[in-house]
Amino acid sequence: MARVDLTVMGAGIFGLGIAWAAARRGAKVRVIERDRIGAGSSGGLVGALSPHVPEGWNPKKAFQLDSLLMAEDWWHAVAQASGLSPGYGRVGRLQPLADAAAVALAQARGAGAAVLWQGRAAWDVIPAQGGAWEPATPSGYLVHDTLSARLHPQMALRALAAAIRALGGEVSEAQGLAPPPADSPILWATGAAGLLDLSRDQNRKIGDGVKGQALSLIFPAVTLPQLFVDGLHVIPHADGTVAIGSTSEYQWDDPTAVDTQLDGLHARAIAALPVLQDAPVAARWAGLRPRAKTRAPLLGPWPGRPGQFVANGGFKIGFGMAPKIAEVMADLILTGRDAIPDGFRL
């Protein structure tokens, strides 16, 4: 590649997403991955694109809403350029409600969503129908939102990498720890390890990694909604699997090892949805997810390093935030236009 306008360090969802957004603007991009595409938390199994509750509205929730609303067209463009499916589907989500107080709160949130979600999605309280793909709900009612979507993380990363290459960009894997070339602006999107690097550089705690475990089952439910039951995500994917996740672990011996906590997730999923009882296990996953101390994505210039930028900290919401983060960071790096919310800045 003769000319490079942007070098991206890290081939997770933020790195590949921003490289794709820059390439669509005509930039020549180079992605350098020290291991393999999706080696960190972006290579997991869950892929839930779900909104925050429509109350206590703030810039973070507004940013996420914009990203979720633009996701369908954004991922469609990736699929067209790459010829590969990212497994995206706006399938909605069901959540059981425990009692009359939970029903009343959910109804109030529905009224908020009617205003805040701009009429482009709904948050409704509906009576349970007793179907096989429906969690038990003590109140007899469920929340059904039409904003939630899903994609398959590994399919999505493969599609992004192929789309970047289709536009003349470069995506290189297994590059080790060599320093990046200094012939272009550099974006660091290096996940949990990158948060530790930032912390050392800034001499303060910026964030760290939180271990998560997830599994997927072979069960065809491609067009059915995702479920959120007592903190557990159950996500039907386009490849005929159902992902179950995830744990949040702050102490561990091996960040990539699965253990009995994953067995617990599996058991909880079957208890919530007995139709999964005999579904074979397709895959198990464990890894570190980057969690910033602010609990928000960290975006913008790397303090004290001219020409270097950071996109990190997408703990649990990285794929949902990715389309808008990609466009905002491409604008900042290529044109200087800064639309980063204050709460996302380093």
Side-chain angles (χ1 to χ4, degrees):
M1 183 182 293
R3 181 187 101 239
V4 176
D5 300 308
L6 171 63
T7 296
V8 175
M9 304 299 292
I13 181 56
F14 283 1
L16 290 173
I18 294 165
W20 161 245
R24 291 178 78 189
R25 289 162 166 75
K28 296 297 183 182
V29 301
R30 167 178 53 201
V31 180
I32 298 175
E33 167 58 48
R34 72 176 184 179
D35 190 349
R36 68 186 187 282
I37 292 170
S41 63
S42 294
L45 301 171
V46 179
L49 314 184
S50 299
H52 289 96
V53 293
E55 66 183 15
W57 206 243
N58 57 39
K60 178 181 177 181
K61 291 185 178 184
F63 190 102
Q64 186 203 41
L65 174 65
D66 289 345
S67 193
L68 293 173
L69 290 175
M70 68 189 284
E72 186 166 10
D73 289 342
W74 198 84
W75 285 108
H76 178 68
V78 171
Q80 281 194 315
S82 67
L84 300 174
S85 170
Y88 177 88
R90 188 166 155 181
V91 295
R93 179 174 65 170
L94 296 174
Q95 303 177 62
L97 295 169
D99 50 33
V103 171
L105 177 58
Q107 289 170 334
R109 288 171 169 170
V115 176
L116 296 167
W117 290 1
Q118 307 164 22
R120 299 177 64 186
W123 171 292
D124 295 320
V125 175
I126 62 173
Q129 301 298 313
W133 192 261
E134 188 178 274
T137 175
S139 68
Y141 289 90
L142 299 150
V143 171
H144 176 228
D145 85 73
T146 63
L147 180 55
S148 291
R150 54 94 170 116
L151 55 72
H152 191 293
Q154 295 163 16
M155 293 171 63
L157 296 186
R158 286 194 294 269
L160 274 171
I164 292 165
R165 289 167 174 148
L167 294 187
E170 176 185 318
V171 181
S172 300
E173 301 178 76
Q175 297 300 300
L177 295 174
D183 56 353
S184 65
I186 299 169
L187 169 75
W188 295 88
T190 46
L195 289 180
L196 296 179
D197 291 340
L198 275 169
S199 297
R200 285 189 289 266
D201 184 75
Q202 298 295 303
N203 199 30
R204 62 189 175 93
K205 185 173 182 179
I206 304 294
D208 52 22
V210 177
K211 181 178 178 178
Q213 298 186 55
L215 73 156
S216 65
L217 308 177
I218 299 172
F219 188 88
V222 174
T223 61
L224 298 178
Q226 60 173 285
L227 310 176
F228 186 64
V229 186
D230 191 26
L232 189 72
H233 293 279
V234 181
I235 314 296
H237 281 305
D239 65 349
T241 63
V242 172
I244 312 296
S246 58
T247 65
S248 291
E249 304 168 42
Y250 295 86
Q251 294 182 340
W252 61 84
D253 294 322
D254 183 345
T256 61
V258 298
D259 57 35
T260 56
Q261 293 190 66
L262 192 56
D263 297 332
L265 287 187
H266 193 181
R268 286 170 57 200
I270 291 171
L273 208 63
V275 71
L276 297 176
Q277 174 72 51
D278 298 320
V281 174
R284 305 176 195 269
W285 178 89
L288 288 183
R289 295 166 297 178
R291 181 184 183 274
K293 189 176 179 181
T294 62
R295 304 195 69 172
L298 294 179
L299 309 176
W302 185 315
R305 293 191 181 184
Q308 299 193 36
F309 301 83
V310 172
N312 207 323
F315 181 61
K316 293 187 176 182
I317 57 174
F319 277 92
M321 290 282 209
K324 185 160 186 180
I325 283 175
E327 302 303 324
V328 165
M329 288 300 294
D331 279 346
L332 175 66
I333 296 168
L334 299 179
T335 72
R337 180 176 179 269
D338 188 344
I340 298 171
D342 287 341
F344 290 12
R345 300 179 187 277
L346 278 167

